[in-house]
Amino acid sequence: MNEQGSKVRRWGPRKYLCTDCDRTFALMASLTRHRIFECNKQTIASERAVQEQQPPSTERRRRKKKYVCPNCNRVYAVFTSLWRHTNYECGVEPKFICPICKFRFSQKGNLDRHIRTKH
């Protein structure tokens, strides 16, 4: 509260209006949360049922081209992951060695995590 006794608004004017109950919100995220969890749950539930009939975006992503290793048939969704696998992992001796226990790793990040957690 300020000197006049009124609340100080942290986020500025409330410019997002709920058309169902006339409440106003300063953030669009607050209005969205309100509509989903507080106001008019029946309308939101019916909108979700319609959306569930359409293929979700994750299914569209699954249809993307898969990248297969020609040596071991491992499948990757991203080409760079296949590139890393073929150059550093598949048929290649791991080149990162733990200086303490001599355990070998094909990626430096895995060696660093090993040293942090085990030694």
Side-chain angles (χ1 to χ4, degrees):
M1 292 205 175
N2 59 13
E3 298 99 36
Q4 291 92 13
S6 63
K7 287 185 178 179
V8 176
R9 289 195 176 152
R10 183 181 294 178
W11 303 111
R14 294 173 173 246
K15 57 185 174 182
Y16 297 101
L17 173 68
C18 176
T19 56
D20 297 324
C21 69
D22 294 330
R23 281 188 62 186
T24 57
F25 299 90
L27 301 173
M28 180 58 127
S30 299
L31 173 61
T32 303
R33 179 201 43 78
H34 164 76
R35 294 217 45 198
I36 292 171
F37 297 109
E38 296 172 3
C39 185
N40 202 5
K41 291 181 184 179
Q42 295 295 336
T43 304
I44 299 299
S46 64
E47 288 174 3
R48 282 188 186 161
V50 170
Q51 289 175 352
E52 287 173 0
Q53 293 172 357
Q54 299 171 352
S57 60
T58 54
E59 283 186 27
R60 278 187 244 131
R61 277 188 233 134
R62 286 184 196 143
R63 292 182 200 147
K64 284 187 177 179
K65 185 176 180 180
K66 303 289 185 182
Y67 300 96
V68 181
C69 175
N71 300 326
C72 66
N73 294 327
R74 284 196 63 173
V75 179
Y76 295 92
V78 181
F79 176 76
T80 53
S81 297
L82 173 63
W83 180 88
R84 184 205 69 243
H85 168 76
T86 55
N87 288 319
Y88 296 106
E89 296 172 1
C90 189
V92 178
E93 189 69 27
K95 63 181 182 179
F96 299 101
I97 304 169
C98 177
I100 300 167
C101 67
K102 306 302 181 206
F103 199 86
R104 301 173 74 89
F105 298 91
S106 52
Q107 295 182 31
K108 187 176 184 315
N110 293 340
L111 170 63
D112 294 341
R113 182 181 61 225
H114 167 79
I115 293 171
R116 258 193 337 267
T117 59
K118 304 293 184 196
H119 301 296

